[in-house]
Amino acid sequence: MTDTVIHTNGLTRKFGDFIAVNAISFEVKKGEIFGFLGANGAGKTTAMKILCGLLSPSSGEAKVAGYDVYTQNESIKKHIGYMSQKFSLYENLKVRENIKFYGGIYGLRGADLNQKTEQLINRLGLENEADKLVGSLPLGWKQKIAFSVAILHKPKIVFLDEPTGGVDPVTRRQFWDLIYEAANEGITVFVTTHYMDEAEYCDRVSIMVDGSIAALDTPEKLKEQFKTNSMEGVFLQLARNAKRSE
Amino acid sequence: MPIVQLIILPLASDFEVKNIRITVIDQDKSTYSKRLIQKLDASEYINVAEYKDSYTKALESTGAGTSDLILTIPVNFEKKLIKENESTIHLAADAVNGIKGGLGSAYAAMIVGDFNREIREEWMVMPRHSEFPAVEITSANWYNPGNNYKLFMVPGILVILVTMIGSFMTALNIVAEKEVGTIEQINVTPVKKYEFIIGKLLPFWVLGMVSITIGMTVAFLIFGLIPQGSFLTIYVFSGVYLFSVLGIGLLISTFADSQQQATLFAYFFMMVFVMLSGLFTPIESMPDWSKMLTKINPPAYLITVFRAVYIKGSSFSDLLPTFYALLGLGLLFNILAILNYRKRAT
């Protein structure tokens, strides 16, 4: 149990009569890259927001990094990183200022913060851009910076909500290299995506349909189970039966 | 932009009504009636625009907007005045513009009263008239002897401008973060609610204090106004005041999801702020229910304070109740805003 970082049991979220997330139960192990798939409107983002402490659940139980989402949601926040599909760095701050700002919020101070900031800038090869406004950089770069900022404080889990939306395949590939690096350092990665090639990179994948988890396993086993040779095949078979969509 | 407003608005919002145009129907055409008309025309507020021979014709020019007042001097005005020792004239005012109509007839009445006294004094020397005991009211304007409207308006307008900077810029700033999505990123961090709010309010508080300083500098350079009281009083009150309007801005931001929404809220609040602030209309002459509303309108307090300090030189202890009221409102708005600001949606 010690290496289970996310645990949910019957987690449900209703908006009025609409059941956005319907009794989902799953576990995510430490260091795993967990793919969280589903068509638009399937409830992925809602589920992720509950786990991040941005939204209260209606019923069911969930623990993230060992903390309860009902009562300890502020403690959860110290141990997670989050990067949303909406780009979330301050566009009118410089790259270095953004890194220091978020690092500071997570309690990094003084020399430690400076050192981590410079390390990050060097690792991303942004020495020349560090004093440029984030708003002036291309989207792919912004996303790499946003991800690196989200794991700057070495969280136990990083939540990525469609992190690679709208960027070219090369940049996506580079982004996934960063994800692997993070996973190797022991950070659990919880990622939603619409790209099926990215689903192949995950250790395990869950597919949500209409608020419920329709399938959950390694990509290999899912392909076996659904008798197809790609994740796209698996996804289409499941999503075709979906009743709701945006 | 606010500085330009501060310079231009006081000049435009002058209550003094000058150039009131009067149409005269002189049916008497006597010495005394001519004298009255001359006296009216000599005043700096009233111009005799035209002479008409009937009331209907005079009404036409009022209708056409070329005249504001109609004065009718009836036949036998002079005769009655001398024989019966009293006479009547008729004054009609165009009250479409209430202020102009009201003030116009008041000025005209004052001049007629003056005229009345003049002829009485002349007759006094004549033995056939007994001396009337007369009570006369003369008024002296304290603190602002020249009734200088700029002295009255500039501090008030300064308050409104600072209000806009304080509350609406805060609201728009936070709502902009909602739109861009950075607020979600902040909400997912362990940052404390109060840390976030202080982080948001403090820069605007400083900005507000700086703009008050700039505003007072402009008031001095352009209008030559210097507070009679102490600057410390002004700054202490401004500090507490900004605290309360920033609370309003924060409260707006918790309700609005987009900048358009926040702007609409802002317009609504601004109307209330200005109308109930006593900037243009004295709070004392408002109906009771709106007097109650001014009690929760922070600009009403600060305008009172600014005017008192600028014009009367009131000290901090004179204004202590106002200080507590502003502090109370500040706490109220900020507590409401903090309660309504949630890091986690329910």
Side-chain angles (χ1 to χ4, degrees):
Chain A
M1 272 307 280
T2 45
D3 54 358
T4 299
V5 288
I6 303 176
H7 164 87
T8 76
N9 189 7
L11 188 66
T12 301
R13 170 69 208 203
K14 294 177 188 163
F15 293 102
D17 290 338
F18 178 73
I19 304 170
V21 175
N22 190 1
I24 58 171
S25 305
F26 62 89
E27 282 186 353
V28 179
K29 302 261 180 301
K30 185 172 186 296
E32 220 179 1
I33 300 178
F34 190 84
F36 202 59
L37 273 56
N40 288 331
K44 300 185 303 279
T45 301
T46 308
M48 187 182 253
K49 280 189 173 169
I50 294 173
L51 296 176
C52 293
L54 284 174
L55 193 66
S56 303
S58 303
S59 61
E61 48 184 85
K63 276 191 172 173
V64 177
Y67 298 102
D68 187 75
V69 292
Y70 288 94
T71 53
Q72 298 167 304
N73 63 320
E74 288 299 315
S75 305
I76 290 175
K77 288 173 183 171
K78 285 182 199 147
H79 299 283
I80 61 168
Y82 174 76
M83 177 190 164
S84 73
Q85 54 194 346
K86 260 184 166 180
F87 175 71
S88 49
L89 296 176
Y90 285 92
E91 301 240 329
N92 42 13
L93 287 182
K94 291 170 186 161
V95 173
R96 184 177 272 122
E97 290 168 338
N98 263 294
I99 299 172
K100 288 193 169 176
F101 174 69
Y102 280 111
I105 284 187
Y106 284 105
L108 299 176
R109 292 283 177 272
D112 185 30
L113 178 58
N114 285 335
Q115 192 198 339
K116 283 213 164 96
T117 305
E118 295 314 315
Q119 267 176 9
L120 175 58
I121 290 169
N122 292 333
R123 200 169 60 208
L124 292 174
L126 290 173
E127 290 87 351
N128 294 325
E129 281 77 22
D131 288 316
K132 286 189 183 161
L133 295 184
V134 166
S136 66
L137 299 177
L139 181 63
W141 290 24
K142 290 181 193 171
Q143 284 168 327
K144 278 188 246 173
I145 300 166
F147 176 73
S148 308
V149 166
I151 59 168
L152 188 66
H153 58 293
K154 298 265 179 285
K156 287 188 179 150
I157 311 153
V158 62
F159 290 89
L160 308 173
D161 190 2
E162 292 178 28
T164 54
V167 297
D168 62 82
V170 178
T171 313
R172 268 169 52 204
R173 185 64 238 190
Q174 291 170 343
F175 193 89
W176 273 86
D177 288 339
L178 290 176
I179 292 182
Y180 279 125
E181 256 177 58
N184 284 337
E185 288 171 26
I187 297 174
T188 308
V189 179
F190 188 98
V191 56
T192 74
T193 179
H194 283 306
Y195 296 106
M196 289 307 133
D197 56 330
E198 292 186 351
E200 307 265 2
Y201 304 148
C202 297
D203 296 328
R204 282 196 307 149
V205 167
S206 84
I207 300 178
M208 273 185 93
V209 177
D210 292 347
S212 308
I213 292 182
L216 196 176
D217 217 323
T218 61
E220 288 68 36
K221 285 194 178 150
L222 284 175
K223 281 184 273 187
E224 226 170 83
Q225 187 189 338
F226 289 89
K227 299 187 175 54
T228 168
N229 56 9
S230 70
M231 279 307 293
E232 193 155 353
V234 176
F235 187 80
L236 286 175
Q237 284 187 42
L238 287 166
R240 197 173 288 141
N241 303 323
K243 289 182 187 63
R244 64 191 204 213
S245 62
E246 274 176 342
Chain B
M1 176 68 185
I3 292 174
V4 174
Q5 284 183 308
L6 185 63
I7 296 171
I8 292 172
L9 288 180
L11 299 175
S13 51
D14 188 329
F15 285 117
E16 270 185 283
V17 177
K18 287 176 187 163
N19 304 320
I20 297 164
R21 293 154 306 175
I22 191 164
T23 302
V24 177
I25 309 159
D26 186 1
Q27 296 165 332
D28 197 35
K29 294 210 175 13
S30 61
T31 325
Y32 277 112
S33 75
K34 292 234 169 66
R35 210 170 127 184
L36 176 61
I37 295 163
Q38 262 173 17
K39 196 165 168 59
L40 281 170
D41 205 15
S43 128
E44 63 170 307
Y45 300 109
I46 295 180
N47 295 329
V48 175
E50 54 194 353
Y51 296 91
K52 288 275 149 94
D53 40 22
S54 82
Y55 191 68
T56 333
K57 281 190 185 159
L59 262 184
E60 275 167 20
S61 46
T62 311
T66 53
S67 161
D68 305 303
L69 290 177
I70 303 172
L71 177 73
T72 316
I73 305 174
V75 194
N76 296 335
F77 168 73
E78 191 180 65
K79 217 190 221 167
K80 272 174 123 179
L81 190 66
I82 294 169
K83 277 196 176 154
E84 298 166 26
N85 202 15
E86 84 176 21
S87 190
T88 51
I89 56 172
H90 177 249
L91 187 69
D94 174 9
V96 170
N97 181 339
I99 295 180
K100 205 171 180 183
L103 280 176
S105 47
Y107 287 147
M110 236 159 68
I111 294 166
V112 174
D114 244 18
F115 172 76
N116 196 18
R117 210 182 51 235
E118 247 178 54
I119 51 176
R120 267 173 196 284
E121 277 167 7
E122 284 172 22
W123 292 350
M124 207 88 93
V125 291
M126 296 179 214
R128 67 186 179 102
H129 285 279
S130 60
E131 200 172 320
F132 278 91
V135 177
E136 196 182 351
I137 300 171
T138 53
S139 61
N141 297 310
W142 278 35
Y143 307 123
N144 187 1
N147 255 343
N148 181 348
Y149 280 95
K150 285 171 202 99
L151 194 51
F152 182 68
M153 292 306 291
V154 171
I157 290 171
L158 179 57
V159 169
I160 294 295
L161 293 178
V162 171
T163 309
M164 291 185 66
I165 292 169
S167 56
F168 303 138
M169 282 174 67
T170 320
L172 285 177
N173 177 278
I174 297 176
V175 174
E177 285 214 31
K178 277 192 192 175
E179 283 184 352
V180 180
T182 42
I183 195 136
E184 196 174 85
Q185 191 71 45
I186 294 290
N187 284 343
V188 85
T189 69
V191 73
K192 301 270 190 309
K193 223 155 101 167
Y194 73 87
E195 290 172 338
F196 174 78
I197 287 174
I198 291 173
K200 276 294 171 199
L201 296 194
L202 202 58
F204 286 102
W205 188 84
V206 172
L207 193 65
M209 293 303 258
V210 169
S211 35
I212 284 176
T213 311
I214 295 174
M216 290 199 298
T217 314
V218 170
F220 171 67
L221 291 178
I222 308 284
F223 300 107
L225 301 184
I226 295 180
Q228 298 294 310
S230 83
F231 280 102
L232 187 66
T233 311
I234 287 191
Y235 278 111
V236 169
F237 271 98
S238 303
V240 181
Y241 175 74
L242 278 168
F243 169 66
S244 73
V245 287
L246 290 172
I248 293 176
L250 193 64
L251 193 59
I252 292 178
S253 76
T254 60
F255 285 112
D257 288 322
S258 68
Q259 294 196 57
Q260 284 98 322
Q261 254 184 15
T263 313
L264 276 178
F265 271 120
Y267 271 122
F268 170 76
F269 274 93
M270 206 63 217
M271 283 291 284
V272 178
F273 279 168
V274 174
M275 299 315 270
L276 293 180
S277 66
L279 179 63
F280 296 112
T281 44
I283 292 172
E284 290 75 17
S285 53
M286 289 180 186
D288 286 342
W289 61 268
S290 70
K291 255 187 224 168
M292 294 300 290
L293 285 178
T294 64
K295 297 260 182 275
I296 54 164
N297 187 23
Y301 292 101
L302 197 67
I303 288 179
T304 313
V305 168
F306 266 41
R307 282 180 178 162
V309 176
Y310 255 91
I311 302 174
K312 279 199 289 196
S314 298
S315 69
F316 185 78
S317 51
D318 293 335
L319 299 162
L320 207 56
T322 315
F323 179 78
Y324 289 132
L326 274 177
L327 192 63
L329 284 178
L331 288 173
L332 173 75
F333 291 130
N334 280 283
I335 288 171
L336 280 179
I338 291 170
L339 290 179
N340 208 34
Y341 171 73
R342 288 213 158 72
K343 284 183 75 179
R344 176 156 79 165
T346 50

